[in-house]
Amino acid sequence: MKKWYAVIGDPIEHSMSPFMHNLWMTSEGRDATYIPLHVSRESLRASFEGMKVLGCSGFNVTIPHKEAIIPLLDEVDALAEKMGAVNTVVRQADGKYKGYNTDGLGFVRSLEDVVGTSHKQEKVLVLGAGGASRGICFALWQEGYRDITIANRTVEKARAICLEMDPSVKACSLQQASDELGAYGIVIQTTSAGLNHSQFALPISLEHLANTAIVADIVYNPLMTPFLEQSQKQGATVVTGLGMFIHQGALAYEHWTTVYPDAKVVKQSLLEQLGGN
Ligand code: ATR
């Protein structure tokens, strides 16, 4: 019987996940489909029950359900539990639904796609202390990055993540991050300040950015955020958010099928849709 997968969220109509997963499924000749489902906060439990009855093989979870789905699942992977968020659910052979988080690891894969794996000793600065930052920090640590500083407008939130990680992980203010920016080899922008197209939306001044730095943003629409544009002008190597989107999807696909799909198959098509090159 045809297998079906889904992404649940609210809003959901702009999600590019169905396009990406269907492209992978088609290119591999799988008898499967992936559909977007508009699920409100109020209907999460009932929707999940319905999906189970209808034999959903697996699904992605997006805003606003990444935390709320956890108590409804049969099992949660240890890393996703630490992150406090699930973006991928797998129906196992025993019929139980298990949650994973592929966002953070998806980010690290996309970073290493561009710059390789030889930068693990660099000083890493993560801007922001929301859900995305949390996932990325845990994944960076898991993948061997050992010098991590989290800077946030509300420093307490950065400290809270540090407390759950290792004593060596540091927290600081955005001002301090901006003043000491030259010391960092990798800078990762996870705040929602970048969602505003204005030049004034930069979360920190880039005046002291080293021209050898690697700068990443998790936003992929627009591809070149003001933060990345400014960093590139100053000589930095930039990593757009598109790679993270593709790899979090590829990791989910691997959980469902055991096959890691080819990122390149979808990258060009997604770039065309986003107006990049
Ligand atoms: P997500 O789950 O996508 O990370 P979030 O949990 O809402 O989203 O977190 C948003 C992050 O962007 C937070 O770190 C927030 O800082 P505060 O914790 O101080 O609120 C940060 N942020 C949002 N707007 C910002 C701005 N204009 N300048 C700097 N940081 C901003």
Side-chain angles (χ1 to χ4, degrees), residues 63 128-133 152-154 157 174 190-193 201-203 218:
I63 292 166
S133 162
N152 197 41
R153 188 172 57 181
T154 315
K157 280 169 69 181
L174 292 178
T190 78
T191 78
S192 36
L202 298 189
I218 64 163

Side-chain angles (χ1 to χ4, degrees), residues 241-259:
L242 187 62
M244 175 179 176
F245 173 69
I246 295 172
H247 283 289
Q248 64 74 32
L251 287 160
Y253 192 95
E254 186 183 33
H255 278 301
W256 298 326
T257 66
T258 74
V259 173

Side-chain angles (χ1 to χ4, degrees), residues 89-160:
V89 177
V90 182
R91 189 183 62 184
Q92 304 178 133
D94 60 6
K96 290 188 172 165
Y97 285 82
K98 180 168 180 178
Y100 295 86
N101 191 313
T102 68
D103 286 329
L105 197 53
F107 172 80
V108 178
R109 290 267 171 104
S110 78
L111 174 73
E112 294 182 347
D113 250 6
V114 179
V115 301
T117 54
S118 61
H119 295 270
K120 294 189 199 278
Q121 307 312 318
E122 299 276 7
K123 280 173 80 69
V124 182
L125 175 66
V126 180
L127 299 172
S133 162
R134 212 183 158 76
I136 287 171
C137 289
F138 277 107
L140 284 167
W141 184 265
Q142 184 187 276
E143 295 305 297
Y145 292 80
R146 286 291 176 267
D147 191 340
I148 303 174
T149 301
I150 308 168
N152 197 41
R153 188 172 57 181
T154 315
V155 186
E156 280 315 309
K157 280 169 69 181
R159 285 207 188 96

Side-chain angles (χ1 to χ4, degrees), residues 183-239:
Y184 291 97
I186 301 177
V187 180
I188 304 164
Q189 171 356 71
T190 78
T191 78
S192 36
L195 291 175
N196 184 329
H197 294 211
S198 152
Q199 279 290 332
F200 301 106
L202 298 189
I204 59 169
S205 156
L206 291 167
E207 191 188 343
H208 301 299
L209 182 72
N211 61 7
T212 50
I214 297 158
V215 180
D217 202 317
I218 64 163
V219 172
Y220 67 88
N221 195 6
L223 265 185
M224 283 300 279
T225 60
F227 195 77
L228 290 185
E229 259 173 12
Q230 183 61 37
S231 302
Q232 194 171 50
K233 269 190 207 143
Q234 293 180 221
T237 300
V238 300
V239 180

